[in-house]
Amino acid sequence: MSSFYDEVQELKTRYPEGTRSAVLPALRLAQEKHGWLSRQAIEETAEALELTPAYCYSVASFYDWFQLEPVGRHTIDVCTNVCCGLVNAQAVLEAFERELGVGPGQTTENGQITLRAVECLGGCSTPTIVAVDDVYRQSVTPESVPAIVAELVND
């Protein structure tokens, strides 16, 4: 298995602008490796890309899909943007809060599930969109929340 550095070098060859263009996939690779983007993971990415850690952090902090704090084994992201909001995203979020016993930005006591309210998941044609471990669920309703949570708890 190749090292993270080598994997990032290979990523850079796929982009015409090289280093800066590869920052998103390199950060994604670092997050997959570490589970979240710790300071060390960001520094490792910056070194492999020959960028500053500040630049890599600024990119990572802009996007919802990067985790800058430790998260549970599973993540649930509920879109709260206007399209999802119009079809009851708040009620879906509240149903997850009730089922999990945590609020947005929190992880269950056993460390298994992190709930987040995010600005937009880009699924405006089939709201409310919920990403469970980065897999999109379309047209989620408050009534479907218990089954989603049960899937994760029984995993």
Side-chain angles (χ1 to χ4, degrees):
M1 185 170 152
S2 66
S3 73
F4 176 76
Y5 181 87
D6 293 335
E7 290 178 69
V8 171
Q9 298 315 300
E10 194 279 323
L11 272 175
K12 285 170 46 175
T13 66
R14 298 181 200 170
Y15 295 90
E17 299 299 320
T19 304
R20 288 192 187 270
S21 298
V23 72
L24 288 173
L27 287 168
R28 185 67 174 194
L29 185 65
Q31 181 167 284
E32 288 172 9
K33 177 182 176 190
H34 297 284
W36 64 291
L37 292 177
S38 64
R39 180 178 180 166
Q40 176 187 350
I42 289 174
E43 289 173 355
E44 187 178 329
T45 304
E47 181 179 333
L49 290 172
E50 299 174 10
L51 296 170
T52 65
Y55 179 80
C56 289
Y57 178 81
S58 71
V59 172
S61 65
F62 180 80
Y63 293 98
D64 279 339
W65 65 78
F66 290 120
Q67 311 292 338
L68 298 176
E69 295 181 11
V71 294
R73 182 168 166 244
H74 299 287
T75 57
I76 299 173
D77 294 336
V78 179
C79 180
T80 58
N81 204 315
V82 75
C83 287
C84 291
L86 289 172
V87 292
N88 229 357
Q90 187 60 39
V92 170
L93 182 60
E94 289 169 1
F96 276 113
E97 290 176 8
R98 282 191 304 280
E99 286 293 314
L100 298 170
V102 297
Q106 297 178 331
T107 301
T108 56
E109 223 174 84
N110 63 6
Q112 290 298 302
I113 303 171
T114 299
L115 176 64
R116 297 184 332 140
V118 297
E119 178 56 28
C120 184
L121 290 172
C124 301
S125 63
T126 55
T128 292
I129 299 295
V130 173
V132 178
D133 295 335
D134 297 324
V135 176
Y136 282 26
R137 309 279 181 108
Q138 301 172 330
S139 305
V140 176
T141 64
E143 294 75 27
S144 59
V145 167
I148 293 171
V149 171
E151 285 176 37
L152 299 178
V153 169
N154 295 324
D155 177 26

